[in-house]
Amino acid sequence: MNQKLQMSSNLTINLERVKQDLYNLARFGYNPDDQGIYRQGFSDEDMKARHWLMDQMEGYGLKVRMDGAGNVIGRYGSDDQKALLIGSHLDSVPAGGMFDGVLGVVAGLECIRVLQENNIELKHAIEVIGTSEEEGRFGGMLGAQALTGNLKLDWLERAQDHSGEMLRDAMAKCQLPYHLAMEAARDPEDLVGFLELHIEQGPVLEKTNNTIGVVEGISGVFKWLIKFIGKADHAGTAPMDLRSDAFMGVADFAHEISRIIDEEGTDKTRLTIGSVELKPGFAHTVPGEADFTLVGRDMSEEVMRNLADSCRKVCSSIARKHKLMFEYEQMSWLEPRPCTAEMVELLERHSRARDYKTLLMPSGAGHDSQFFTDITPTGLLFIPSVGGVSHAPDEWSHWHDVEKGCNVLLDATLELIAA
Ligand SMILES: [Zn+2]
């Protein structure tokens, strides 16, 4: 074992402090009726949580600021040093849980506290970041996009949430003039890397009895809106063999999904029909039109292209069979984002050095990390979610797993920044 590893293993995080921070943050947006957390981006509760965290960080002597995109940043180290960024998001989905996002922010703060109390000499600074609006209330990952120079001014001007509220109005209410978000971009020259600890939000670690997931990359995602157009008919008078029933197209396609994955996909492929609308949508009318969404994911963009080709061909042939017209529109195509190989190696090595059961895995869900891969070496760690549940009030992770995740983050941080 080299000296760095020995030093890393001597320090551990203080779980009680991490617990306290998580419970304190869970008060912001907590709804006793369904026990969910409602801390959507740029809501009052979101901003209160941000200011609470800023006060905490100031209490530990960090240099604290909120950037133009609403990201909360606490810096430990001198101004002229490069910085290792550690963080995740502080906002939640409606009726979310107390670990999603927040864990990665609190874990970063805890790493700093351990460095402070052990008087560890640093060759780089460390910044804890609580990013803004990761959950996509306005359709993006605003905070991470801003920090990594992935924002466009015209999008900031146009973006609105489900209720029609404009992003720029929501930001103005928080005293954040939207155009200043463009100035939040970090210079890659000033950065050492980005580390994020997050709950898995899926069942794989628990099912495979692993404690730490080291994420190799974030899956690419494409989203299509598909239409089968047939002919609406009376459900009593139109004989079965003379129908152009749009729903039959959807049903046939759904059955083809597993074959498409067998032929073109990998074990990391996901194809999902998440929403179907039948028109006119009456019990006694043969559906004349079926509009549905198809979301495809994989870690390889070539595989994604092959899946997309195959889905298109299968839909055309199903349309012919049922005398339907087939149209589709590609709503989005996000390429896969591999995490940085050195960071994957670093996190895996430290997890195994502590004898934690460790799995290399993809992330099917999007995370702040995916944007940081653009500008700086990026590593993402998962701990198990009980029952795979997330984005729900009963989202939970065992405290012993929280502790282990934070310890791996601490060891990796020490190797990256200790003098
Ligand atoms: Zn999250």
Side-chain angles (χ1 to χ4, degrees):
M1 204 185 274
N2 69 31
Q3 214 184 348
K4 271 175 188 159
L5 277 177
Q6 276 174 21
M7 179 182 68
S8 311
S9 303
N10 287 339
L11 297 179
T12 51
I13 63 98
N14 180 329
L15 180 62
E16 281 311 310
R17 286 191 300 222
V18 172
K19 258 192 205 181
Q20 273 309 317
D21 288 343
L22 286 169
Y23 279 124
N24 277 323
L25 280 162
R27 290 178 296 141
F28 298 100
Y30 179 72
N31 175 359
D33 294 338
D34 62 4
Q35 298 180 352
I37 291 166
Y38 291 73
R39 204 169 50 233
Q40 295 95 305
F42 302 118
S43 62
D44 288 351
E45 293 298 318
D46 178 39
M47 295 314 283
K48 279 188 210 160
R50 281 168 202 280
H51 287 289
W52 179 87
L53 181 70
M54 290 171 81
D55 289 346
Q56 295 299 304
M57 295 198 296
E58 260 162 24
Y60 290 105
L62 308 191
K63 198 170 166 188
V64 181
R65 66 189 176 99
M66 183 182 287
D67 71 14
N71 296 305
V72 169
I73 302 171
R75 183 175 170 104
Y76 177 60
S78 66
D79 285 349
D80 54 347
Q81 287 173 314
K82 289 185 174 208
L84 171 69
L85 312 181
I86 303 181
S88 191
H89 57 100
L90 285 173
D91 61 313
S92 80
V93 294
M98 65 175 270
F99 293 90
D100 180 6
V102 183
L103 172 64
V105 186
V106 167
L109 180 57
E110 177 57 20
C111 287
I112 291 182
R113 288 186 291 228
V114 175
L115 298 176
Q116 284 179 328
E117 63 199 5
N118 289 282
N119 295 313
I120 305 286
E121 210 185 310
L122 306 180
K123 64 179 180 229
H124 300 303
I126 166 169
E127 291 185 19
V128 186
I129 301 196
T131 65
S132 62
E133 225 299 83
E134 188 269 355
E135 294 291 2
R137 175 182 168 196
F138 293 95
M141 285 191 191
L142 181 78
Q145 283 178 269
L147 287 160
T148 58
N150 274 296
L151 266 191
K152 297 210 162 60
L153 192 61
D154 67 321
W155 179 81
L156 283 172
E157 283 162 355
R158 280 185 288 110
Q160 54 182 54
D161 72 2
H162 211 63
S163 72
E165 182 170 2
M166 304 298 290
L167 170 62
R168 56 185 188 200
D169 296 339
M171 290 182 75
K173 278 189 214 158
C174 305
Q175 278 76 52
L176 292 165
Y178 71 92
H179 61 274
L180 293 186
M182 301 300 291
E183 291 169 22
R186 301 298 298 264
D187 183 347
E189 291 294 314
D190 298 337
L191 304 179
V192 176
F194 178 76
L195 292 178
E196 181 174 14
L197 171 64
H198 204 281
I199 53 169
E200 182 199 346
Q201 304 182 283
V204 174
L205 289 174
E206 187 181 72
K207 285 260 153 59
T208 56
N209 255 314
N210 279 288
T211 301
I212 298 291
V214 177
V215 177
E216 293 174 288
I218 292 136
S219 296
V221 189
F222 65 90
K223 180 177 171 187
W224 283 7
L225 210 57
I226 304 180
K227 276 184 204 297
F228 281 130
I229 301 161
K231 187 166 160 284
D233 261 322
H234 193 292
T237 58
M240 297 307 285
D241 60 337
L242 295 180
R243 293 180 177 192
S244 304
D245 182 337
F247 178 67
M248 289 302 156
V250 186
D252 274 11
F253 179 67
H255 270 289
E256 290 295 317
I257 284 179
S258 58
R259 187 184 58 79
I260 293 170
I261 295 177
D262 283 348
E263 286 174 10
E264 307 293 348
T266 67
D267 59 338
K268 299 178 176 84
T269 300
R270 309 279 185 268
L271 285 175
T272 306
I273 298 173
S275 153
V276 181
E277 190 188 357
L278 301 180
K279 295 175 184 173
F282 296 121
H284 295 280
T285 304
V286 176
E289 183 175 325
D291 301 351
F292 63 104
T293 56
L294 174 69
V295 170
R297 291 184 153 87
D298 197 81
M299 277 303 297
S300 148
E301 195 163 23
E302 194 191 338
V303 170
M304 286 170 66
R305 276 194 290 270
N306 294 340
L307 290 165
D309 273 351
S310 180
C311 288
R312 194 168 41 236
K313 282 180 197 147
V314 168
C315 281
S316 316
S317 93
I318 287 170
R320 274 196 302 281
K321 176 176 154 201
H322 291 286
K323 300 176 291 262
L324 306 170
M325 291 210 333
F326 153 61
E327 292 172 2
Y328 79 100
E329 190 184 344
Q330 186 159 289
M331 309 303 287
S332 59
W333 181 282
L334 296 176
E335 65 207 35
R337 299 293 183 115
C339 289
T340 312
E342 304 93 85
M343 289 297 208
V344 172
E345 184 276 329
L346 173 80
L347 294 171
E348 186 190 7
R349 177 160 46 79
H350 282 294
S351 180
R352 295 199 191 281
R354 283 195 183 250
D355 273 334
Y356 299 158
K357 291 191 77 183
T358 307
L359 182 71
L360 291 179
M361 63 190 296
S363 172
H367 292 291
D368 289 308
S369 285
Q370 72 197 59
F371 286 102
F372 286 92
T373 59
D374 269 1
I375 64 160
T376 197
T378 297
L380 174 59
L381 275 177
F382 283 165
I383 58 166
S385 295
V386 174
V389 175
S390 183
H391 283 190
D394 48 357
E395 167 184 291
W396 191 254
S397 288
H398 293 301
W399 291 119
H400 54 260
D401 290 335
V402 169
E403 185 173 29
K404 288 172 180 167
C406 293
N407 278 333
V408 176
L409 188 69
L410 173 66
D411 291 349
T413 299
L414 278 166
E415 180 171 332
L416 290 169
I417 71 172

